[in-house]
Amino acid sequence: MKSDTRLGRLDIARGVALIAMAIYHLGWDLEFFGYLAQGSASQGWWRIFARCIASSFLFLVGFSLVLAHARGILWQPFMKRLAQVVLAAAAISLLTWVFMPQGFIFFGILHQIALASLLGLLFLRSPVSLTILLATAIIATPVYYRAEFFNHPVLWWVGLSSINPISNDYVPLFPWFGAALLGIASARIMQATGLLRLLQGGIKPQWLERLLTFIGRHSLIFYLVHQPVLIGLLYGFSAIFPPSPAMQAANFVNQCTVQCSANGDEQLCRVYCGCMLETIEANNLSNLLRSPAATDEERQKLSAFSAQCVTKMQEGQPVQ
């Protein structure tokens, strides 16, 4: 929309969604640095919170698509924005592949936003009832249908594989494109009924309105910048106030077990990881519980510890 007809409360809603995302990522970072138990950010209310945030982002993508292009697709600004999102998504994939290869982001929220923006153009003038029906089907399909055919990594972006790939941010076509379609349908209904006027104006207090509006209008920059800032702050904080030894030990065992269980029996992996913890602590190398070995000597010691614990794990196997 033109600046003089911009819906202020839509920018505010986008700003609220971004703040919520930053809060969730703070929880994820606290887990990563060892202040929360491993798995906290992917379970219970944290998991529901994350799903609500992703849904709101994609809903707003669909909603905004209608407002910007309902009278005709403005290809130049659309392609410019799409290129920005695609480049940002590619940068996220590259960085996580280099620094976090075991959970690198190959199809996260930015990838889905780019795809939803493209596919959403097909529904700008389709019957609203059809859009809602298709959205419902896309959201429900993964619950009732998954197939090994989609297990190939090339098809993971679809979201219908029989097992979910490991990734720190996985937002595939099914079911998440359904949220964007619901945003498209909602915007078209509000246009037809004159309810868009409810999104005009702002909120009080004014300082909060200005803050959320600024964040909402610079959403991509905020998304790219907030995590490095949070990680930098927590890194400095952890150097002064490290997590408790008990929490470090518990997180080490849990993370070790998850990695080991990918290729072995979970019960035996717990024996192995418990052995590694005991050996590391007995050799006064507790610093390795919160960071990888920093020297060749430490890596050699870890390798020796691992060989000893593998032997112990094998001895613990039941006799066939």
mmCIF file with all atom_site columns, all heavy atoms in Angstrom, residues 70-90:
data_model
loop_
_atom_site.group_PDB
_atom_site.id
_atom_site.type_symbol
_atom_site.label_atom_id
_atom_site.label_alt_id
_atom_site.label_comp_id
_atom_site.label_asym_id
_atom_site.label_entity_id
_atom_site.label_seq_id
_atom_site.pdbx_PDB_ins_code
_atom_site.Cartn_x
_atom_site.Cartn_y
_atom_site.Cartn_z
_atom_site.occupancy
_atom_site.B_iso_or_equiv
_atom_site.pdbx_formal_charge
_atom_site.auth_seq_id
_atom_site.auth_comp_id
_atom_site.auth_asym_id
_atom_site.auth_atom_id
_atom_site.pdbx_PDB_model_num
ATOM 1   N N   . ALA A 1 70 ? -3.267 -6.596  -4.748  1.00 0.00 ? 70 ALA A N   1
ATOM 2   C CA  . ALA A 1 70 ? -4.637 -6.988  -5.101  1.00 0.00 ? 70 ALA A CA  1
ATOM 3   C C   . ALA A 1 70 ? -5.101 -6.329  -6.405  1.00 0.00 ? 70 ALA A C   1
ATOM 4   O O   . ALA A 1 70 ? -5.857 -6.926  -7.177  1.00 0.00 ? 70 ALA A O   1
ATOM 5   C CB  . ALA A 1 70 ? -5.592 -6.645  -3.960  1.00 0.00 ? 70 ALA A CB  1
ATOM 6   N N   . ARG A 1 71 ? -4.674 -5.109  -6.664  1.00 0.00 ? 71 ARG A N   1
ATOM 7   C CA  . ARG A 1 71 ? -5.119 -4.396  -7.871  1.00 0.00 ? 71 ARG A CA  1
ATOM 8   C C   . ARG A 1 71 ? -4.221 -4.675  -9.077  1.00 0.00 ? 71 ARG A C   1
ATOM 9   O O   . ARG A 1 71 ? -4.443 -4.138  -10.154 1.00 0.00 ? 71 ARG A O   1
ATOM 10  C CB  . ARG A 1 71 ? -5.156 -2.893  -7.589  1.00 0.00 ? 71 ARG A CB  1
ATOM 11  C CG  . ARG A 1 71 ? -6.188 -2.501  -6.523  1.00 0.00 ? 71 ARG A CG  1
ATOM 12  C CD  . ARG A 1 71 ? -6.193 -1.000  -6.313  1.00 0.00 ? 71 ARG A CD  1
ATOM 13  N NE  . ARG A 1 71 ? -7.161 -0.595  -5.298  1.00 0.00 ? 71 ARG A NE  1
ATOM 14  C CZ  . ARG A 1 71 ? -7.353 0.655   -4.901  1.00 0.00 ? 71 ARG A CZ  1
ATOM 15  N NH1 . ARG A 1 71 ? -6.608 1.639   -5.451  1.00 0.00 ? 71 ARG A NH1 1
ATOM 16  N NH2 . ARG A 1 71 ? -8.242 0.944   -3.984  1.00 0.00 ? 71 ARG A NH2 1
ATOM 17  N N   . GLY A 1 72 ? -3.237 -5.504  -8.887  1.00 0.00 ? 72 GLY A N   1
ATOM 18  C CA  . GLY A 1 72 ? -2.284 -5.817  -9.946  1.00 0.00 ? 72 GLY A CA  1
ATOM 19  C C   . GLY A 1 72 ? -0.913 -6.011  -9.341  1.00 0.00 ? 72 GLY A C   1
ATOM 20  O O   . GLY A 1 72 ? -0.507 -5.238  -8.467  1.00 0.00 ? 72 GLY A O   1
ATOM 21  N N   . ILE A 1 73 ? -0.218 -7.006  -9.792  1.00 0.00 ? 73 ILE A N   1
ATOM 22  C CA  . ILE A 1 73 ? 1.070  -7.335  -9.195  1.00 0.00 ? 73 ILE A CA  1
ATOM 23  C C   . ILE A 1 73 ? 2.103  -6.277  -9.579  1.00 0.00 ? 73 ILE A C   1
ATOM 24  O O   . ILE A 1 73 ? 2.340  -6.023  -10.765 1.00 0.00 ? 73 ILE A O   1
ATOM 25  C CB  . ILE A 1 73 ? 1.538  -8.730  -9.648  1.00 0.00 ? 73 ILE A CB  1
ATOM 26  C CG1 . ILE A 1 73 ? 0.520  -9.784  -9.226  1.00 0.00 ? 73 ILE A CG1 1
ATOM 27  C CG2 . ILE A 1 73 ? 2.910  -9.049  -9.057  1.00 0.00 ? 73 ILE A CG2 1
ATOM 28  C CD1 . ILE A 1 73 ? 0.832  -11.170 -9.742  1.00 0.00 ? 73 ILE A CD1 1
ATOM 29  N N   . LEU A 1 74 ? 2.695  -5.670  -8.583  1.00 0.00 ? 74 LEU A N   1
ATOM 30  C CA  . LEU A 1 74 ? 3.752  -4.680  -8.799  1.00 0.00 ? 74 LEU A CA  1
ATOM 31  C C   . LEU A 1 74 ? 5.082  -5.439  -8.835  1.00 0.00 ? 74 LEU A C   1
ATOM 32  O O   . LEU A 1 74 ? 5.731  -5.653  -7.808  1.00 0.00 ? 74 LEU A O   1
ATOM 33  C CB  . LEU A 1 74 ? 3.740  -3.646  -7.672  1.00 0.00 ? 74 LEU A CB  1
ATOM 34  C CG  . LEU A 1 74 ? 2.382  -2.944  -7.442  1.00 0.00 ? 74 LEU A CG  1
ATOM 35  C CD1 . LEU A 1 74 ? 2.457  -2.009  -6.245  1.00 0.00 ? 74 LEU A CD1 1
ATOM 36  C CD2 . LEU A 1 74 ? 1.978  -2.182  -8.695  1.00 0.00 ? 74 LEU A CD2 1
ATOM 37  N N   . TRP A 1 75 ? 5.463  -5.850  -10.027 1.00 0.00 ? 75 TRP A N   1
ATOM 38  C CA  . TRP A 1 75 ? 6.560  -6.789  -10.161 1.00 0.00 ? 75 TRP A CA  1
ATOM 39  C C   . TRP A 1 75 ? 7.897  -6.258  -9.661  1.00 0.00 ? 75 TRP A C   1
ATOM 40  O O   . TRP A 1 75 ? 8.676  -6.998  -9.051  1.00 0.00 ? 75 TRP A O   1
ATOM 41  C CB  . TRP A 1 75 ? 6.684  -7.241  -11.619 1.00 0.00 ? 75 TRP A CB  1
ATOM 42  C CG  . TRP A 1 75 ? 5.603  -8.188  -12.012 1.00 0.00 ? 75 TRP A CG  1
ATOM 43  C CD1 . TRP A 1 75 ? 4.549  -7.961  -12.834 1.00 0.00 ? 75 TRP A CD1 1
ATOM 44  C CD2 . TRP A 1 75 ? 5.472  -9.556  -11.570 1.00 0.00 ? 75 TRP A CD2 1
ATOM 45  N NE1 . TRP A 1 75 ? 3.751  -9.072  -12.947 1.00 0.00 ? 75 TRP A NE1 1
ATOM 46  C CE2 . TRP A 1 75 ? 4.305  -10.073 -12.182 1.00 0.00 ? 75 TRP A CE2 1
ATOM 47  C CE3 . TRP A 1 75 ? 6.212  -10.380 -10.733 1.00 0.00 ? 75 TRP A CE3 1
ATOM 48  C CZ2 . TRP A 1 75 ? 3.869  -11.378 -11.959 1.00 0.00 ? 75 TRP A CZ2 1
ATOM 49  C CZ3 . TRP A 1 75 ? 5.792  -11.679 -10.508 1.00 0.00 ? 75 TRP A CZ3 1
ATOM 50  C CH2 . TRP A 1 75 ? 4.637  -12.163 -11.118 1.00 0.00 ? 75 TRP A CH2 1
ATOM 51  N N   . GLN A 1 76 ? 8.188  -5.003  -9.901  1.00 0.00 ? 76 GLN A N   1
ATOM 52  C CA  . GLN A 1 76 ? 9.507  -4.489  -9.510  1.00 0.00 ? 76 GLN A CA  1
ATOM 53  C C   . GLN A 1 76 ? 9.712  -4.513  -7.997  1.00 0.00 ? 76 GLN A C   1
ATOM 54  O O   . GLN A 1 76 ? 10.711 -5.095  -7.531  1.00 0.00 ? 76 GLN A O   1
ATOM 55  C CB  . GLN A 1 76 ? 9.714  -3.074  -10.062 1.00 0.00 ? 76 GLN A CB  1
ATOM 56  C CG  . GLN A 1 76 ? 11.127 -2.542  -9.798  1.00 0.00 ? 76 GLN A CG  1
ATOM 57  C CD  . GLN A 1 76 ? 11.369 -1.216  -10.508 1.00 0.00 ? 76 GLN A CD  1
ATOM 58  O OE1 . GLN A 1 76 ? 10.561 -0.743  -11.299 1.00 0.00 ? 76 GLN A OE1 1
ATOM 59  N NE2 . GLN A 1 76 ? 12.521 -0.606  -10.233 1.00 0.00 ? 76 GLN A NE2 1
ATOM 60  N N   . PRO A 1 77 ? 8.807  -3.928  -7.190  1.00 0.00 ? 77 PRO A N   1
ATOM 61  C CA  . PRO A 1 77 ? 9.008  -4.026  -5.733  1.00 0.00 ? 77 PRO A CA  1
ATOM 62  C C   . PRO A 1 77 ? 8.879  -5.445  -5.212  1.00 0.00 ? 77 PRO A C   1
ATOM 63  O O   . PRO A 1 77 ? 9.568  -5.819  -4.257  1.00 0.00 ? 77 PRO A O   1
ATOM 64  C CB  . PRO A 1 77 ? 7.915  -3.114  -5.164  1.00 0.00 ? 77 PRO A CB  1
ATOM 65  C CG  . PRO A 1 77 ? 6.931  -2.942  -6.256  1.00 0.00 ? 77 PRO A CG  1
ATOM 66  C CD  . PRO A 1 77 ? 7.681  -3.058  -7.533  1.00 0.00 ? 77 PRO A CD  1
ATOM 67  N N   . PHE A 1 78 ? 8.003  -6.239  -5.859  1.00 0.00 ? 78 PHE A N   1
ATOM 68  C CA  . PHE A 1 78 ? 7.846  -7.628  -5.412  1.00 0.00 ? 78 PHE A CA  1
ATOM 69  C C   . PHE A 1 78 ? 9.146  -8.400  -5.609  1.00 0.00 ? 78 PHE A C   1
ATOM 70  O O   . PHE A 1 78 ? 9.610  -9.107  -4.702  1.00 0.00 ? 78 PHE A O   1
ATOM 71  C CB  . PHE A 1 78 ? 6.721  -8.310  -6.186  1.00 0.00 ? 78 PHE A CB  1
ATOM 72  C CG  . PHE A 1 78 ? 6.594  -9.781  -5.876  1.00 0.00 ? 78 PHE A CG  1
ATOM 73  C CD1 . PHE A 1 78 ? 5.941  -10.217 -4.733  1.00 0.00 ? 78 PHE A CD1 1
ATOM 74  C CD2 . PHE A 1 78 ? 7.162  -10.729 -6.731  1.00 0.00 ? 78 PHE A CD2 1
ATOM 75  C CE1 . PHE A 1 78 ? 5.841  -11.568 -4.439  1.00 0.00 ? 78 PHE A CE1 1
ATOM 76  C CE2 . PHE A 1 78 ? 7.066  -12.082 -6.443  1.00 0.00 ? 78 PHE A CE2 1
ATOM 77  C CZ  . PHE A 1 78 ? 6.400  -12.509 -5.297  1.00 0.00 ? 78 PHE A CZ  1
ATOM 78  N N   . MET A 1 79 ? 9.750  -8.296  -6.774  1.00 0.00 ? 79 MET A N   1
ATOM 79  C CA  . MET A 1 79 ? 10.976 -9.030  -7.062  1.00 0.00 ? 79 MET A CA  1
ATOM 80  C C   . MET A 1 79 ? 12.146 -8.525  -6.206  1.00 0.00 ? 79 MET A C   1
ATOM 81  O O   . MET A 1 79 ? 13.016 -9.312  -5.803  1.00 0.00 ? 79 MET A O   1
ATOM 82  C CB  . MET A 1 79 ? 11.322 -8.941  -8.545  1.00 0.00 ? 79 MET A CB  1
ATOM 83  C CG  . MET A 1 79 ? 10.313 -9.620  -9.467  1.00 0.00 ? 79 MET A CG  1
ATOM 84  S SD  . MET A 1 79 ? 10.026 -11.362 -9.044  1.00 0.00 ? 79 MET A SD  1
ATOM 85  C CE  . MET A 1 79 ? 11.659 -12.063 -9.324  1.00 0.00 ? 79 MET A CE  1
ATOM 86  N N   . LYS A 1 80 ? 12.161 -7.231  -5.954  1.00 0.00 ? 80 LYS A N   1
ATOM 87  C CA  . LYS A 1 80 ? 13.218 -6.682  -5.099  1.00 0.00 ? 80 LYS A CA  1
ATOM 88  C C   . LYS A 1 80 ? 13.131 -7.272  -3.699  1.00 0.00 ? 80 LYS A C   1
ATOM 89  O O   . LYS A 1 80 ? 14.130 -7.720  -3.126  1.00 0.00 ? 80 LYS A O   1
ATOM 90  C CB  . LYS A 1 80 ? 13.110 -5.155  -5.048  1.00 0.00 ? 80 LYS A CB  1
ATOM 91  C CG  . LYS A 1 80 ? 14.157 -4.503  -4.152  1.00 0.00 ? 80 LYS A CG  1
ATOM 92  C CD  . LYS A 1 80 ? 13.982 -2.990  -4.121  1.00 0.00 ? 80 LYS A CD  1
ATOM 93  C CE  . LYS A 1 80 ? 14.993 -2.350  -3.179  1.00 0.00 ? 80 LYS A CE  1
ATOM 94  N NZ  . LYS A 1 80 ? 14.841 -0.863  -3.115  1.00 0.00 ? 80 LYS A NZ  1
ATOM 95  N N   . ARG A 1 81 ? 11.918 -7.279  -3.155  1.00 0.00 ? 81 ARG A N   1
ATOM 96  C CA  . ARG A 1 81 ? 11.720 -7.831  -1.807  1.00 0.00 ? 81 ARG A CA  1
ATOM 97  C C   . ARG A 1 81 ? 12.000 -9.331  -1.788  1.00 0.00 ? 81 ARG A C   1
ATOM 98  O O   . ARG A 1 81 ? 12.632 -9.839  -0.858  1.00 0.00 ? 81 ARG A O   1
ATOM 99  C CB  . ARG A 1 81 ? 10.281 -7.553  -1.350  1.00 0.00 ? 81 ARG A CB  1
ATOM 100 C CG  . ARG A 1 81 ? 9.939  -8.095  0.038   1.00 0.00 ? 81 ARG A CG  1
ATOM 101 C CD  . ARG A 1 81 ? 10.733 -7.393  1.095   1.00 0.00 ? 81 ARG A CD  1
ATOM 102 N NE  . ARG A 1 81 ? 10.332 -7.799  2.434   1.00 0.00 ? 81 ARG A NE  1
ATOM 103 C CZ  . ARG A 1 81 ? 10.918 -7.394  3.552   1.00 0.00 ? 81 ARG A CZ  1
ATOM 104 N NH1 . ARG A 1 81 ? 11.932 -6.558  3.483   1.00 0.00 ? 81 ARG A NH1 1
ATOM 105 N NH2 . ARG A 1 81 ? 10.502 -7.815  4.725   1.00 0.00 ? 81 ARG A NH2 1
ATOM 106 N N   . LEU A 1 82 ? 11.542 -10.037 -2.814  1.00 0.00 ? 82 LEU A N   1
ATOM 107 C CA  . LEU A 1 82 ? 11.773 -11.476 -2.891  1.00 0.00 ? 82 LEU A CA  1
ATOM 108 C C   . LEU A 1 82 ? 13.269 -11.784 -2.937  1.00 0.00 ? 82 LEU A C   1
ATOM 109 O O   . LEU A 1 82 ? 13.742 -12.711 -2.266  1.00 0.00 ? 82 LEU A O   1
ATOM 110 C CB  . LEU A 1 82 ? 11.070 -12.057 -4.115  1.00 0.00 ? 82 LEU A CB  1
ATOM 111 C CG  . LEU A 1 82 ? 11.212 -13.567 -4.324  1.00 0.00 ? 82 LEU A CG  1
ATOM 112 C CD1 . LEU A 1 82 ? 10.534 -14.319 -3.191  1.00 0.00 ? 82 LEU A CD1 1
ATOM 113 C CD2 . LEU A 1 82 ? 10.613 -13.979 -5.670  1.00 0.00 ? 82 LEU A CD2 1
ATOM 114 N N   . ALA A 1 83 ? 14.006 -11.012 -3.726  1.00 0.00 ? 83 ALA A N   1
ATOM 115 C CA  . ALA A 1 83 ? 15.450 -11.220 -3.827  1.00 0.00 ? 83 ALA A CA  1
ATOM 116 C C   . ALA A 1 83 ? 16.125 -11.018 -2.468  1.00 0.00 ? 83 ALA A C   1
ATOM 117 O O   . ALA A 1 83 ? 17.038 -11.767 -2.092  1.00 0.00 ? 83 ALA A O   1
ATOM 118 C CB  . ALA A 1 83 ? 16.048 -10.270 -4.865  1.00 0.00 ? 83 ALA A CB  1
ATOM 119 N N   . GLN A 1 84 ? 15.677 -10.021 -1.715  1.00 0.00 ? 84 GLN A N   1
ATOM 120 C CA  . GLN A 1 84 ? 16.239 -9.766  -0.385  1.00 0.00 ? 84 GLN A CA  1
ATOM 121 C C   . GLN A 1 84 ? 16.005 -10.950 0.546   1.00 0.00 ? 84 GLN A C   1
ATOM 122 O O   . GLN A 1 84 ? 16.914 -11.387 1.267   1.00 0.00 ? 84 GLN A O   1
ATOM 123 C CB  . GLN A 1 84 ? 15.628 -8.494  0.207   1.00 0.00 ? 84 GLN A CB  1
ATOM 124 C CG  . GLN A 1 84 ? 16.035 -7.220  -0.500  1.00 0.00 ? 84 GLN A CG  1
ATOM 125 C CD  . GLN A 1 84 ? 15.272 -6.000  0.001   1.00 0.00 ? 84 GLN A CD  1
ATOM 126 O OE1 . GLN A 1 84 ? 14.207 -6.123  0.621   1.00 0.00 ? 84 GLN A OE1 1
ATOM 127 N NE2 . GLN A 1 84 ? 15.813 -4.819  -0.266  1.00 0.00 ? 84 GLN A NE2 1
ATOM 128 N N   . VAL A 1 85 ? 14.788 -11.485 0.517   1.00 0.00 ? 85 VAL A N   1
ATOM 129 C CA  . VAL A 1 85 ? 14.451 -12.616 1.392   1.00 0.00 ? 85 VAL A CA  1
ATOM 130 C C   . VAL A 1 85 ? 15.234 -13.864 0.977   1.00 0.00 ? 85 VAL A C   1
ATOM 131 O O   . VAL A 1 85 ? 15.757 -14.595 1.828   1.00 0.00 ? 85 VAL A O   1
ATOM 132 C CB  . VAL A 1 85 ? 12.936 -12.889 1.358   1.00 0.00 ? 85 VAL A CB  1
ATOM 133 C CG1 . VAL A 1 85 ? 12.591 -14.146 2.160   1.00 0.00 ? 85 VAL A CG1 1
ATOM 134 C CG2 . VAL A 1 85 ? 12.160 -11.693 1.910   1.00 0.00 ? 85 VAL A CG2 1
ATOM 135 N N   . VAL A 1 86 ? 15.330 -14.110 -0.332  1.00 0.00 ? 86 VAL A N   1
ATOM 136 C CA  . VAL A 1 86 ? 16.055 -15.287 -0.822  1.00 0.00 ? 86 VAL A CA  1
ATOM 137 C C   . VAL A 1 86 ? 17.533 -15.208 -0.441  1.00 0.00 ? 86 VAL A C   1
ATOM 138 O O   . VAL A 1 86 ? 18.128 -16.200 0.013   1.00 0.00 ? 86 VAL A O   1
ATOM 139 C CB  . VAL A 1 86 ? 15.898 -15.426 -2.347  1.00 0.00 ? 86 VAL A CB  1
ATOM 140 C CG1 . VAL A 1 86 ? 16.867 -16.464 -2.895  1.00 0.00 ? 86 VAL A CG1 1
ATOM 141 C CG2 . VAL A 1 86 ? 14.463 -15.806 -2.692  1.00 0.00 ? 86 VAL A CG2 1
ATOM 142 N N   . LEU A 1 87 ? 18.142 -14.042 -0.607  1.00 0.00 ? 87 LEU A N   1
ATOM 143 C CA  . LEU A 1 87 ? 19.549 -13.883 -0.250  1.00 0.00 ? 87 LEU A CA  1
ATOM 144 C C   . LEU A 1 87 ? 19.752 -14.064 1.252   1.00 0.00 ? 87 LEU A C   1
ATOM 145 O O   . LEU A 1 87 ? 20.739 -14.684 1.684   1.00 0.00 ? 87 LEU A O   1
ATOM 146 C CB  . LEU A 1 87 ? 20.052 -12.503 -0.688  1.00 0.00 ? 87 LEU A CB  1
ATOM 147 C CG  . LEU A 1 87 ? 20.249 -12.314 -2.195  1.00 0.00 ? 87 LEU A CG  1
ATOM 148 C CD1 . LEU A 1 87 ? 20.617 -10.861 -2.510  1.00 0.00 ? 87 LEU A CD1 1
ATOM 149 C CD2 . LEU A 1 87 ? 21.341 -13.254 -2.718  1.00 0.00 ? 87 LEU A CD2 1
ATOM 150 N N   . ALA A 1 88 ? 18.828 -13.525 2.052   1.00 0.00 ? 88 ALA A N   1
ATOM 151 C CA  . ALA A 1 88 ? 18.929 -13.684 3.502   1.00 0.00 ? 88 ALA A CA  1
ATOM 152 C C   . ALA A 1 88 ? 18.782 -15.150 3.892   1.00 0.00 ? 88 ALA A C   1
ATOM 153 O O   . ALA A 1 88 ? 19.506 -15.654 4.760   1.00 0.00 ? 88 ALA A O   1
ATOM 154 C CB  . ALA A 1 88 ? 17.859 -12.842 4.196   1.00 0.00 ? 88 ALA A CB  1
ATOM 155 N N   . ALA A 1 89 ? 17.849 -15.855 3.248   1.00 0.00 ? 89 ALA A N   1
ATOM 156 C CA  . ALA A 1 89 ? 17.653 -17.281 3.525   1.00 0.00 ? 89 ALA A CA  1
ATOM 157 C C   . ALA A 1 89 ? 18.902 -18.075 3.162   1.00 0.00 ? 89 ALA A C   1
ATOM 158 O O   . ALA A 1 89 ? 19.334 -18.976 3.901   1.00 0.00 ? 89 ALA A O   1
ATOM 159 C CB  . ALA A 1 89 ? 16.442 -17.803 2.754   1.00 0.00 ? 89 ALA A CB  1
ATOM 160 N N   . ALA A 1 90 ? 19.496 -17.749 2.020   1.00 0.00 ? 90 ALA A N   1
ATOM 161 C CA  . ALA A 1 90 ? 20.714 -18.437 1.593   1.00 0.00 ? 90 ALA A CA  1
ATOM 162 C C   . ALA A 1 90 ? 21.856 -18.181 2.574   1.00 0.00 ? 90 ALA A C   1
ATOM 163 O O   . ALA A 1 90 ? 22.648 -19.092 2.886   1.00 0.00 ? 90 ALA A O   1
ATOM 164 C CB  . ALA A 1 90 ? 21.103 -17.976 0.197   1.00 0.00 ? 90 ALA A CB  1
#
